Amino acid sequence: MVVFLNSFFAFVLYLRASSASDNSWNAEIPKSVVGLSGSCVVIPCKFNYPSDGKTHNEFSGIWYTDKYDIIYHKETSKIISKFKGRTTLLGDLHHKNCTLKINSLQHSDDGLYMFRIEIKDFNQATFSKSIVSITVKDSPYQPIISLDEEVMSQKETTATCIVSHSCPSDLPQLTWSHKGMLSHSQSQDHGQWNITSSLTFTPSREDHNKSLICSAEFSGGNKVTSSNTLKVKYPPYKVNVKSNSPVKENTSVELICSCDSNPPASFQWISLNGSVLANGPTYKLNQVSRYTEAISCTANNTEGKNSSSPQRINVLYPPEIKNESSCKLEPTVCVCIVDSNPPSEVKWLAPSTAFPSSIIEQNGFLTIFTLKGWEGFPDAVHCLASNSEGNSVITIQVPHRGMIIYIAVATAAVLVTLVIISVCVAKRHCRRRAQEQHLMDLKADPNKFKTTPKSGFDSKEEKSNDIYTNNQDSVYKNRECYDRDLPCGQDEEVYANT
């Protein structure tokens, strides 16, 4: 009975206020708000009334359901039981603010609500044309992510995540899948509060096509996420050259260049000297050989360029035994040097001779097979090299110990002969120089070898001849002896009369 009377009384007041109101009585209330079950909802409200030139100090604000059940009143006893302790008037009526907060939302709170103002000693009105609809949801709205359609690698960019909610005192916690610098802001729009999280970060090429995720966690454990796929522009990376190698010598091969890049790259084929061989992702080489030079590929896009390492084609060819292959003694060592791809197997062959295993040393495509320390010295050994492409053989002469001794003796004899000849030539040269020097001395001083007659004796005709003449003859005679390289007697010496 009491409930019926309260409802009837409210209805009478509504009719009375409606008939007394005019356009000066109005309220600004959103048409609808959405709240999360278990959370709160805030209904923004502003009202206006006609001024009569007086100051009014006593206001009463009342919120009703569309069935005129009171959900808020300053006299709490008038509030229906399901809303008691759950509603609060946040606005200041003296400043024409009638904002209402409802806590602990339930699905039964779905419905229409209106506001009524009562001003003591003036008038009162129910704003029946400004009705708000409340909707209670179990899950919040998905976050809205805003991001540039394409971002550049290693260049700073900012993404925003907006989450709508209805309770500013119960804010959701926002998190991002990427690290960066965060900032937050909040705004209200027709009863809905928006919290905005801004993430400033530097994307990398690893972020391309990855999801940028924003998560919002509400009280009560409700969590919602949204994601955007990152489109990151970056220069070519991992430029790689592939081919259908290995290939046989004198056949063709096709090279394929690839890379990781965004946007897609264009390709050029470059020789070792830097000249451009071709454009495009593929390059065909005809008649390749073991001497075909290495080739690199350069990839280029709007963000930059990068090149592969020089790529040498894996060419298969039969063994080629090098001329440097040889044998030596002391100790006995034979070396067989083989150029081939794939590496060759080598067999040492000689009649009635058993060889130990070879020592193998690999240096690129060269394989050095060393054989040493075997007994019985054959005249020659054969090095047979073979691989999947063919074979080759070479005969290597083995030097013998007797031959070495003979060569050593012959060499010594030749050396001794050369020494003897050199000594004889030197002696003859010295004699001639001494003889020539003596003649020069005679010509320079002819009186040097004249004799003085002894005192007390008359000179006779046979003794009147100058001794110089005789001495000169002796000198020429001695010169003939020297010229013939023969020994000469003492009676021929020019110094006999001195």
Side-chain angles (χ1 to χ4, degrees), residues 245-258:
S245 61
V247 294
K248 293 180 179 292
E249 197 168 30
N250 297 319
T251 62
S252 63
V253 63
E254 186 176 70
L255 305 179
I256 302 174
C257 188
S258 63

Side-chain angles (χ1 to χ4, degrees), residues 368-434:
I368 302 174
F369 299 87
T370 304
L371 180 65
K372 61 181 179 180
W374 85 92
E375 299 296 333
F377 303 94
D379 293 334
V381 293
H382 308 286
C383 174
L384 174 62
S386 59
N387 67 4
S388 59
E389 304 305 303
N391 55 67
S392 180
V393 64
I394 190 174
T395 300
I396 306 174
Q397 297 297 322
V398 180
H400 290 285
R401 190 183 307 274
M403 183 180 297
I404 294 175
I405 294 173
Y406 172 77
I407 293 172
V409 171
T411 302
V414 171
L415 289 175
V416 169
T417 302
L418 291 174
V419 170
I420 292 172
I421 292 172
S422 298
V423 170
C424 291
V425 171
K427 289 176 65 177
R428 184 173 181 179
H429 181 69
C430 290
R431 289 174 181 173
R432 284 188 176 182
R433 286 183 58 86

Side-chain angles (χ1 to χ4, degrees), residues 97-131:
N97 189 326
C98 48
T99 299
L100 177 71
K101 178 181 180 181
I102 305 175
N103 291 312
S104 303
L105 283 174
Q106 306 167 9
H107 284 287
S108 60
D109 296 335
D110 284 355
L112 302 175
Y113 298 85
M114 67 186 79
F115 176 69
R116 173 182 174 82
I117 185 69
E118 296 178 350
I119 305 173
K120 186 178 181 182
D121 298 329
F122 182 58
N123 210 338
Q124 53 200 358
T126 300
F127 301 102
S128 57
K129 294 182 179 180
S130 301
I131 297 178

Side-chain angles (χ1 to χ4, degrees), residues 58-77:
E58 292 190 29
F59 297 85
S60 294
I62 306 167
W63 280 90
Y64 295 94
T65 69
D66 60 338
K67 297 180 176 58
Y68 301 103
D69 294 328
I70 297 174
I71 65 168
Y72 172 79
H73 198 289
K74 64 180 179 180
E75 296 179 17
T76 57
S77 60

Side-chain angles (χ1 to χ4, degrees), residues 19-302:
S19 59
S21 63
D22 56 30
N23 291 333
S24 298
W25 294 84
N26 57 71
E28 296 179 9
I29 302 174
K31 292 183 178 180
S32 63
V33 293
V34 177
L36 184 63
S37 177
S39 184
C40 75
V41 67
V42 174
I43 305 172
C45 174
K46 291 183 178 181
F47 67 94
N48 198 11
Y49 58 91
S51 175
D52 58 355
K54 297 180 181 179
T55 300
H56 303 283
N57 295 320
E58 292 190 29
F59 297 85
S60 294
I62 306 167
W63 280 90
Y64 295 94
T65 69
D66 60 338
K67 297 180 176 58
Y68 301 103
D69 294 328
I70 297 174
I71 65 168
Y72 172 79
H73 198 289
K74 64 180 179 180
E75 296 179 17
T76 57
S77 60
K78 295 182 178 181
I79 301 173
I80 61 176
S81 58
K82 63 175 289 189
F83 280 97
K84 280 186 177 180
R86 294 172 52 210
T87 54
T88 305
L89 191 67
L90 299 180
D92 185 350
L93 298 178
H94 293 83
H95 294 89
K96 303 178 181 180
N97 189 326
C98 48
T99 299
L100 177 71
K101 178 181 180 181
I102 305 175
N103 291 312
S104 303
L105 283 174
Q106 306 167 9
H107 284 287
S108 60
D109 296 335
D110 284 355
L112 302 175
Y113 298 85
M114 67 186 79
F115 176 69
R116 173 182 174 82
I117 185 69
E118 296 178 350
I119 305 173
K120 186 178 181 182
D121 298 329
F122 182 58
N123 210 338
Q124 53 200 358
T126 300
F127 301 102
S128 57
K129 294 182 179 180
S130 301
I131 297 178
V132 58
S133 172
I134 296 179
T135 302
V136 180
K137 296 179 60 176
D138 287 325
S139 298
Y141 288 115
Q142 297 290 119
I144 299 173
I145 297 177
S146 178
L147 177 68
D148 290 340
E149 185 176 348
E150 284 188 322
V151 296
M152 296 178 64
S153 173
Q154 305 306 318
K155 185 175 181 181
E156 195 175 80
T157 189
T158 300
T160 59
C161 178
I162 301 175
V163 177
S164 295
H165 62 98
S166 59
C167 187
S169 62
D170 190 11
L171 297 178
Q173 298 296 317
L174 273 64
T175 56
W176 291 89
S177 60
H178 281 57
K179 293 182 179 180
M181 187 168 57
L182 296 174
S183 63
H184 299 278
S185 62
Q186 187 167 238
S187 62
Q188 185 187 21
D189 183 21
H190 297 89
Q192 290 299 120
W193 294 84
N194 295 323
I195 182 170
T196 300
S197 176
S198 297
L199 171 70
T200 300
F201 69 107
T202 302
S204 66
R205 57 177 177 78
E206 289 85 358
D207 293 321
H208 182 55
N209 285 332
K210 285 188 176 180
S211 294
L212 180 65
I213 302 171
C214 175
S215 302
E217 186 172 1
F218 293 79
S219 61
N222 281 306
K223 186 175 182 179
V224 288
T225 62
S226 289
S227 66
N228 266 14
T229 301
L230 288 167
K231 298 297 181 181
V232 183
K233 298 170 69 175
Y234 55 95
Y237 175 72
K238 287 186 177 179
V239 182
N240 188 34
V241 175
K242 293 182 179 179
S243 66
N244 54 342
S245 61
V247 294
K248 293 180 179 292
E249 197 168 30
N250 297 319
T251 62
S252 63
V253 63
E254 186 176 70
L255 305 179
I256 302 174
C257 188
S258 63
C259 71
D260 177 14
S261 68
N262 184 41
S266 58
F267 301 97
Q268 283 187 328
W269 297 92
I270 310 296
S271 66
L272 283 179
N273 62 12
S275 60
V276 178
L277 300 174
N279 294 304
T282 62
Y283 179 52
K284 187 174 183 180
L285 281 169
N286 296 314
Q287 299 293 315
V288 295
S289 74
R290 70 192 74 180
Y291 307 110
T292 300
E293 69 175 6
I295 299 173
S296 62
C297 173
T298 297
N300 183 45
N301 70 1
T302 57

